[in-house]
Amino acid sequence: LINNSDPRMSVVRAKTAELIAFVTSPVTWLESLIFLEEENRLLREKNLSLTLQVESMLNLEKENQELNQMLDFKSKTNLKILPVRVLNKGIQPNLLSIIIDRGTIDGLKNDLPVLTPKGVVGKTIETSKNNSIVQLISDANFRLSTRILPSGATGILRFINGKTAEIREVQKNVDVNIGDKVVTSGFSNIYPAGLPVGTVKGVYQDRGSFQKVVSITLPNDLNAFQHVFIITKN
């Protein structure tokens, strides 16, 4: 029938083609759906892979910027400092802390200052052979003796929330302005003088007292840094 050149056969072939097309159309439609589902699955996998690659590149860029800042800071400071990596958050529920990858084998001990190029973040409180625990400045029990520049006013810092801390015991007659820099006072046996701490964002009178309260912004995001410095010798 296929090879027959009779004109009547062409009509039969046309009708046969229509019948075959009608019969096979559901199968073709089903195959098309299966193909589209597979194509969508592959596209979703590719989209996820690209998203993860972009996220990885952004993380590497952020880490690279952080390392560049640390290298720049290390080249400018006269302090003897040791760069360390943050491994994890601390495991003690009543203490805001981090765990770092250096310990007594690297010359670390308790009560060493911990900072980033932006400012102070805490101090070491427990050390083992290869790791140490750092109490963060955001811990409720952390206190720091600070100095406000250029006035030279001193006070005790404590964390409030987010990136905000307060300095109390500041004399009321001292001139303190928004934007003033806050550094370590040097009165502590732990922290040398002049380490960056934050910037003044508000000044309030302490009622019934001869002192004022200074609100400051801390420069570090205490949930984000991956590398810190330990000051091993002033």
Side-chain angles (χ1 to χ4, degrees), residues 85-91 97-100:
R85 184 178 181 87
V86 177
L87 297 179
N88 206 344
K89 290 184 177 180
I91 57 176
S97 60
I98 55 175
I99 300 174
I100 57 175

Side-chain angles (χ1 to χ4, degrees), residues 137 142-149 151-161 163-172 174 176-177 179-185 187 195-206 209-219:
I137 195 173
F142 189 94
R143 296 293 184 270
L144 180 64
S145 177
T146 58
R147 185 182 300 277
I148 304 170
L149 302 176
S151 67
T154 59
I156 304 299
L157 176 142
R158 69 172 184 175
F159 181 77
I160 300 300
N161 57 55
K163 297 180 72 173
T164 300
E166 282 184 355
I167 301 176
R168 292 183 173 270
E169 302 181 22
V170 179
Q171 293 301 311
K172 188 173 287 186
V174 177
V176 178
N177 300 297
D180 286 354
K181 299 299 180 183
V182 179
V183 298
T184 50
S185 66
F187 295 158
L195 298 179
V197 176
T199 305
V200 174
K201 72 172 184 177
V203 183
Y204 312 96
Q205 300 298 326
D206 193 358
S209 171
F210 293 103
Q211 299 172 344
K212 62 177 66 174
V213 179
V214 178
S215 177
I216 75 167
T217 299
L218 300 174

Side-chain angles (χ1 to χ4, degrees), residues 4-13:
N4 196 320
S5 59
D6 190 322
R8 289 174 297 180
M9 290 298 100
S10 63
V11 176
V12 174
R13 287 194 291 270

